[in-house]
Amino acid sequence: MTEKNILIEGIDPRELYGAGNQNLEQIAALFPKLKVVARGSQIKVIGEAAESELFEKKLASLLEYHAKYGHISKEVIEQVYSGGLPRPEGAADKDVILYGNAGNIVRARTVNQQKLVRLYEKDDLLFAVGPAGSGKTYTAIALAVRALKNREVKRIILTRPAVEAGEKLGFLPGDLKEKLDPYLQPLYDALNDMIPAAKLSKYIEEGTVQIAPLAYMRGRTLDQAFVILDEAQNTTLAQIKMFLTRMGRSAKFIVTGDMTQVDLPKPGDSGLVPAIRMLEGIKGIGIVEFDNRDIIRHPLVKYIVEAFNRHAAAEQGRE
């Protein structure tokens, strides 16, 4: 008889054990010769050495599945413990970026989304510009979450300028986080699709995932981080320079923006296009220009964007 203590890492133990410990009970039932006791992030296994080693090996496979696909279910446990590591439907798809909550597939769906994924493999700084709904930010965040899961980076930092979109919101009650969250909500929405709620809360609490306004980037050096600047059309040239010079060792930066939605008091103050023009052609910097063909929201969004673009072009023609 041996006693083995197995430390659970990379997952909230509650996700592994399941509601009411139902997952743990299912796993323990598959090893009737062992006594299995869970305490926090540690599982104690008592029994024959060979059985204990098999238990640890199968548990490692289950945790590997969770690291890739983000969920554990009764069916997944059955497959892992009866054979090998299961693959969700569509797992062989070369355009899959990661598996989000409940095994939902997050993939690069359009030509320019796929281009962004390819450039990520060779460039450390990427610009992704184009219309609303084209998946620029969503694809960038998916790449960031995948990099964190694969331990390519130690943290994700998401930032955007706190600029009101054509409305004066006035005094907002609450603490600093509550005042800023409305500006940052689109980033939370994407993360909630890809990371289980309990794990995301833990990541935010630990600082593994940070969501902050652009002004809070000043003075920082961001090493081993995946950093995304969203809504970059609302930055001045000085602000975008400040952001880009935060880049530290082993860091990945993605800048996203839509030049048709500048919310600055003087749209001509936007520094996004001048920055791209200055940096274009530098090795290690990639630029992806999204267009209406990449829009993957409701089908009407594509036509709405086209109609507003025609109106803007007509207005410019009259000037």
Side-chain angles (χ1 to χ4, degrees):
M1 298 287 287
T2 63
E3 181 178 306
K4 180 183 287 287
N5 291 309
I6 304 170
L7 183 63
I8 306 302
E9 297 180 301
I11 179 176
D12 187 326
R14 293 173 294 182
E15 293 181 52
L16 173 62
Y17 302 155
N21 285 339
Q22 60 183 9
N23 290 347
L24 184 64
E25 291 174 1
Q26 181 184 354
I27 294 168
L30 296 169
F31 291 86
K33 296 180 181 179
L34 296 177
K35 182 179 180 181
V36 180
V37 180
R39 291 180 179 173
S41 60
Q42 195 171 73
I43 296 178
K44 180 185 292 186
V45 182
I46 303 171
E48 295 179 3
E51 281 285 293
S52 296
E53 289 177 10
L54 180 60
F55 179 94
E56 186 173 20
K57 182 179 179 181
K58 291 294 186 180
L59 184 63
S61 294
L62 186 61
L63 295 177
E64 180 185 348
Y65 179 93
H66 181 275
K68 286 185 176 181
Y69 308 126
H71 76 112
I72 292 175
S73 66
K74 177 182 177 181
E75 292 72 24
V76 167
I77 293 171
E78 289 176 353
Q79 291 183 63
V80 167
Y81 282 81
S82 64
L85 196 64
R87 292 170 64 88
E89 184 179 350
D93 191 332
K94 63 182 177 63
D95 296 324
V96 170
I97 301 174
L98 58 81
Y99 293 86
N101 291 338
N104 292 328
I105 297 174
V106 179
R107 58 161 55 90
R109 297 179 180 275
T110 71
V111 171
N112 285 313
Q113 289 177 13
Q114 293 163 5
K115 182 179 179 181
L116 185 64
V117 173
R118 288 197 306 273
L119 288 180
Y120 164 80
E121 301 300 332
K122 69 182 187 71
D123 295 328
D124 290 334
L125 170 59
L126 296 172
F127 288 88
V129 294
S134 53
K136 309 178 299 295
T137 302
Y138 199 84
T139 304
I141 291 177
L143 287 170
V145 173
R146 185 182 72 179
L148 184 65
K149 286 187 173 183
N150 292 343
R151 299 182 181 179
E152 297 167 13
V153 296
K154 291 186 176 180
R155 53 186 170 155
I156 296 172
I157 299 172
L158 309 178
T159 185
R160 52 165 32 187
V163 176
E164 296 167 340
E167 299 177 77
K168 294 299 179 183
L169 301 181
F171 174 77
L172 293 173
D175 59 19
L176 181 62
K177 181 180 183 299
E178 291 169 333
K179 292 177 189 293
L180 295 171
D181 275 354
Y183 297 102
L184 307 173
Q185 190 58 48
L187 306 179
Y188 286 107
D189 291 343
L191 287 170
N192 283 324
D193 282 352
M194 302 175 199
I195 303 175
K199 178 174 283 188
L200 179 57
S201 295
K202 185 178 181 183
Y203 278 161
I204 292 174
E205 183 181 336
E206 295 173 343
T208 303
V209 173
Q210 301 173 26
I211 305 176
L214 179 60
Y216 283 56
M217 296 298 105
R218 188 175 299 278
R220 302 182 66 181
T221 300
L222 305 175
D223 294 329
Q224 294 182 294
F226 198 123
V227 190
I228 298 172
L229 170 59
D230 190 34
E231 300 286 351
Q233 76 276 3
N234 288 328
T235 61
T236 64
L237 191 59
Q239 286 175 320
I240 204 166
K241 176 187 175 184
M242 178 275 291
F243 170 77
L244 294 176
T245 54
R246 302 307 94 200
M247 197 171 191
R249 295 169 297 174
S250 302
K252 289 279 191 177
F253 273 41
I254 297 183
V255 177
T256 70
D258 175 6
M259 287 309 304
T260 68
Q261 296 193 47
V262 178
D263 299 311
L264 295 171
K266 295 181 180 180
D269 289 342
S270 174
L272 179 58
V273 170
I276 291 174
R277 287 174 180 164
M278 283 188 286
L279 300 173
E280 191 172 11
I282 297 177
K283 187 177 181 181
I285 299 177
I287 300 168
V288 183
E289 295 186 10
F290 288 72
D291 55 41
N292 294 353
R293 294 170 298 176
D294 297 299
I295 294 175
I296 54 175
R297 290 179 181 169
H298 191 287
L300 285 176
V301 174
K302 177 180 179 180
Y303 299 110
I304 291 169
V305 170
E306 290 174 349
F308 274 82
N309 286 345
R310 286 194 301 269
H311 175 75
E315 288 294 311
Q316 287 180 350
R318 294 192 187 102
E319 293 177 358

